[in-house]
Amino acid sequence: SGAAGTMMPGETPPPPAGAAAAACANCGVLQQNINEYVAALIALKQKMIDGDRLLTEYQQKCTDILYLSITISALRCQVEQMLQKILPLEKCQEELGFLKAELEEKKV
């Protein structure tokens, strides 16, 4: 084997003393960046979940509104039909009122 200080082929020289500290600092920055990135991803995922929930609630409200508008239309129809039945009855009542008044006059 080679004597201390001589390099064998394929060996890398040891880094200078200051390089290790710089590499450690870079590792720290990288770790910090990764932590921030993961936090941002988690926040984004939460926003997507919240967005999905809001969308589901909105769709439910749309369905409710559609159902209510159909119900209201049906009720309007029923009211319209009832009014059409009531109008002739009101006329009959009016005519009965006249007849009653005539009868009262004849009695007198």
Side-chain angles (χ1 to χ4, degrees), residues 2-14:
T6 61
M7 297 290 300
M8 293 296 287
E11 278 190 320
T12 51

Side-chain angles (χ1 to χ4, degrees), residues 36-51:
E36 288 172 12
Y37 182 66
V38 169
L41 277 177
I42 290 169
L44 184 62
K45 189 177 180 187
Q46 190 56 53
K47 279 184 179 170
M48 286 170 74
I49 291 167
D50 293 345

Side-chain angles (χ1 to χ4, degrees), residues 50-66:
D50 293 345
D52 279 350
R53 185 178 47 78
L54 286 172
L55 192 61
T56 305
E57 286 175 14
Y58 175 73
Q59 284 171 336
Q60 184 57 53
K61 283 186 174 132
C62 287
T63 306
D64 292 349
I65 289 169
L66 190 62

Side-chain angles (χ1 to χ4, degrees), residues 26-97:
N26 284 346
C27 269
V29 170
L30 184 63
Q31 188 60 54
Q32 179 71 30
N33 287 346
I34 288 171
N35 290 346
E36 288 172 12
Y37 182 66
V38 169
L41 277 177
I42 290 169
L44 184 62
K45 189 177 180 187
Q46 190 56 53
K47 279 184 179 170
M48 286 170 74
I49 291 167
D50 293 345
D52 279 350
R53 185 178 47 78
L54 286 172
L55 192 61
T56 305
E57 286 175 14
Y58 175 73
Q59 284 171 336
Q60 184 57 53
K61 283 186 174 132
C62 287
T63 306
D64 292 349
I65 289 169
L66 190 62
Y67 173 75
L68 285 172
S69 66
I70 291 167
T71 307
I72 289 168
S73 290
L75 287 171
R76 277 206 184 116
C77 230
Q78 286 181 347
V79 168
E80 201 59 44
Q81 288 172 348
M82 287 172 84
L83 283 174
Q84 284 174 358
K85 286 177 184 173
I86 288 171
L87 284 173
L89 289 175
E90 283 181 342
K91 277 189 179 168
C92 285
Q93 210 171 11
E94 210 176 299
E95 286 172 14
L96 283 173

